[in-house]
Amino acid sequence: MSITETLVAYFMDFERAMGLPGMLVITALECSVLPVPPEPFVFPFAMRMDPWVLATLVTLSSIAGSLLGYAIGYFGGRPIAVRLVGEANLMRAESKLTEHQFSAWAAVFLAGLLQFVPFKPFTIGAGLVEMDLRLFITAVVTGRFLRFLFLGYVAQSETVRNWISYYLGPKVLKMLISTG
């Protein structure tokens, strides 16, 4: 079992024990330190909650976790980044991102929106290059809200429920719906 599989199993147990507050803690930590995607934890709640409420709650927890990631980059990321990419490359990246604030906003927005892009490097990187905090928060809010609003509507669609029931079995569908 890989470290990611072990962590997912551990946090699934944590979420089952804690319910909605547990899911919100996990989605906050996912934005800064937890190396697992949030969807396995959010999906059971998405199947039962109003998509707008779900997106709002997960976005609020994402803001908290993203600010932690930003703080990690801002206060402690420079020595590690210099070791990884070199001082000259880091200064060049900082210069470009300071010069082109929209590019930095777009990068954080897309990382928050797209499921296949890890979000942590972008929250930590935004702090590292001292991205304008207002732009950072608007990128996080916009990207994460749209991502989880979409997930909320998809999880409640009859097509997805039928697919889960057919391919994974009705017991799995029932478990997912009752877990959230």
Side-chain angles (χ1 to χ4, degrees):
M1 185 179 262
S2 75
I3 187 76
T4 302
E5 291 170 331
T6 303
L7 284 171
V8 168
Y10 173 79
F11 282 105
M12 285 292 216
D13 290 342
F14 173 78
E15 181 186 58
R16 273 192 283 286
M18 298 297 294
L20 181 61
M23 184 267 289
L24 296 174
V25 166
I26 291 167
T27 55
L29 291 175
E30 176 273 330
C31 295
S32 55
V33 294
L34 192 61
V36 295
E39 282 76 12
F41 306 101
V42 176
F43 195 81
F45 292 92
M47 294 187 81
R48 293 185 40 185
M49 289 179 73
D50 175 81
W52 290 87
V53 172
L54 174 82
T56 301
L57 291 174
V58 175
T59 299
L60 290 172
S61 72
S62 291
I63 293 168
S66 296
L67 288 172
L68 175 60
Y70 187 98
I72 289 168
Y74 186 86
F75 293 110
R78 188 165 197 83
I80 295 167
V82 167
R83 220 175 295 152
L84 290 173
V85 299
E87 184 74 35
N89 288 331
L90 181 59
M91 289 177 67
R92 190 169 31 255
E94 287 175 327
S95 172
K96 294 274 186 209
L97 290 172
T98 303
E99 202 176 300
H100 305 286
Q101 285 286 315
F102 179 75
S103 296
W105 183 92
V108 173
F109 165 75
L110 289 172
L113 178 67
L114 302 173
Q115 192 273 332
F116 55 85
V117 178
F119 196 46
K120 286 161 283 314
F122 291 88
T123 63
I124 294 168
L128 180 68
V129 299
E130 299 179 16
M131 179 180 176
D132 181 273
L133 198 54
R134 291 168 298 182
L135 288 176
F136 174 73
I137 291 172
T138 60
V140 169
V141 168
T142 309
R144 298 301 264 199
F145 185 82
L146 292 173
R147 176 179 179 166
F148 291 108
L149 183 65
F150 176 75
L151 179 66
Y153 278 108
V154 166
Q156 292 186 9
S157 76
E158 201 58 38
T159 303
V160 168
R161 288 172 186 249
N162 289 339
W163 186 93
I164 291 170
S165 183
Y166 182 80
Y167 287 102
L168 302 177
K171 288 182 181 176
V172 172
L173 178 63
K174 185 176 180 180
M175 181 204 58
L176 283 171
I177 292 172
S178 66
T179 301

